[in-house]
């Protein structure tokens, strides 16, 4: 179990737009105690980054994808000698095959937008709550709708934007009301405009300096935790 993550760990966990999305990790840790031995369900983790994060924390991890986790996920886990402590399964977040109150944590990153209807997303959140133990947490980092500039950029350059549902503050608030407690934080403005990871890293430095001065409604990432 690692108490501190270095740059290589964080790059392998977050995978892209690292400077901005990595801020989810300290936010989660500040609000929920992730302990060795906890059972964690990671949804839509085809590249294995979030599963790696929880395995490094000493958790018992189930890494899932709608079809199956990519071979890339297993390779990244083998790099750290963790593939033997991670289970790989297919899972549909809309209809989870797990028992009630089976997990201490359910986690996902940039996943729920693939469910294009609000009703489907809310149904998935209900399923996650069902498989959580009392006192357990949903930990997530998702694409927020962001500013008008973000919407225009996504329509022009993001090929899946026609079907992806970028979530609004109302969506996150609706989900949060289903739980005993929770909180969200919005982050990032310029990072999304980078066309390469090098550009996104540079823009992420700018975001770190000025993001807090921008209205939350302009920010394109939402970190959150919900406690059952």
């Amino acid at each position: 179990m690692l108490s501190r993550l270095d740059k290589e760990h964080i790059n392998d966990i977050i995978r892209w737009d690292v400077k901005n999305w990595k801020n989810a990790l300290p936010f989660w840790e500040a609000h929920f105690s992730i302990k060795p031995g906890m059972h964690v369900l990671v949804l839509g983790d085809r590249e294995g980054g979030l599963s790696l994060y929880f395995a490094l924390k000493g958790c018992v991890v189930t890494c899932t994808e709608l079809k199956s986790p990519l071979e890339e996920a297993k390779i990244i886990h083998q790099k750290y000698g963790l593939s033997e402590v991670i289970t790989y399964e297919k899972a549909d977040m809309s209809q989870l095959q797990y028992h009630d109150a089976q997990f201490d944590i359910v986690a996902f990153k940039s996943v729920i937008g693939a469910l294009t209807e609000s009703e489907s997303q809310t149904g998935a959140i209900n399923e996650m709550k069902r498989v959580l133990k009392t006192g357990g947490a949903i930990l997530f980092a998702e694409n927020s709708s962001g500013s008008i500039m973000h919407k225009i950029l996504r329509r022009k350059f993001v090929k899946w934007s026609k079907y992806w549902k970028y979530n609004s503050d109302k969506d996150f608030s609706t989900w949060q009301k289903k739980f005993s407690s929770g909180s969200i934080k919005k982050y990032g403005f310029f990072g999304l405009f980078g066309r390469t990871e090098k550009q996104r890293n540079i823009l992420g430095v700018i975001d770190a300096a000025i993001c807090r001065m921008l209205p939350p409604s302009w920010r394109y990432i939402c970190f959150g935790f919900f406690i059952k």
Side-chain angles (χ1 to χ4, degrees), residues 189-225:
F189 181 82
F190 289 106
L192 188 66
F193 302 129
R195 306 312 302 154
T196 66
E197 190 61 18
K198 183 177 180 180
Q199 291 175 1
R200 287 187 285 268
N201 282 338
I202 294 170
L203 294 170
V205 172
I206 297 172
D207 276 333
I210 71 166
C211 186
R212 70 188 65 185
M213 294 184 284
L214 301 175
S217 61
W218 289 11
R219 304 172 194 174
Y220 69 96
I221 306 168
C222 181
F223 317 136
F225 75 93

Side-chain angles (χ1 to χ4, degrees), residues 113-117 150-166:
L115 301 176
T116 58
E117 301 294 333
H150 294 120
K151 293 174 178 138
I152 292 171
L153 179 71
R154 284 164 169 160
R155 283 197 297 267
K156 186 171 182 178
F157 293 107
V158 180
K159 61 183 179 181
W160 55 84
S161 64
K162 292 181 180 179
Y163 68 82
W164 195 272
K165 186 180 186 306
Y166 294 97

Side-chain angles (χ1 to χ4, degrees), residues 29 73 133 142:
E29 292 171 11
K133 298 176 183 178
E142 267 300 326

Side-chain angles (χ1 to χ4, degrees), residues 5 8-18 20-29 34 38-65 69-70 72-74 76-77 80 82 85-88 93 105-112 128 137-143 221-224:
L5 301 173
E8 184 176 11
H9 290 127
I10 292 172
N11 285 339
D12 285 339
I13 290 165
I14 303 299
R15 312 292 288 168
W16 42 265
D17 197 1
V18 174
N20 279 338
W21 286 81
K22 73 177 183 179
N23 289 283
L25 306 182
F27 179 79
W28 294 343
E29 292 171 11
I34 303 169
M38 282 185 164
H39 289 258
V40 181
L41 174 64
V42 186
L43 298 172
D45 199 26
R46 62 177 183 170
E47 294 180 344
L50 279 192
S51 295
L52 171 63
Y53 168 69
F54 289 106
L56 288 168
K57 293 284 187 181
C59 299
V60 179
V61 182
T62 302
C63 175
T64 73
E65 170 63 7
L70 296 180
E72 185 176 354
K74 297 180 181 180
I76 203 69
H77 299 155
Y80 292 94
L82 293 169
V85 300
I86 299 173
T87 302
Y88 303 90
M93 74 179 85
I105 298 171
V106 178
F108 62 91
K109 171 179 170 283
S110 189
V111 167
I112 204 165
M128 295 177 209
I138 294 178
L139 304 178
F140 69 89
E142 267 300 326
N143 299 280
I221 306 168
C222 181
F223 317 136

Side-chain angles (χ1 to χ4, degrees), residues 118-136:
S118 295
E119 294 79 5
S120 299
Q121 291 186 341
T122 299
I125 294 294
N126 289 338
E127 276 289 273
M128 295 177 209
K129 181 180 178 182
R130 178 183 66 79
V131 302
L132 268 182
K133 298 176 183 178
T134 300

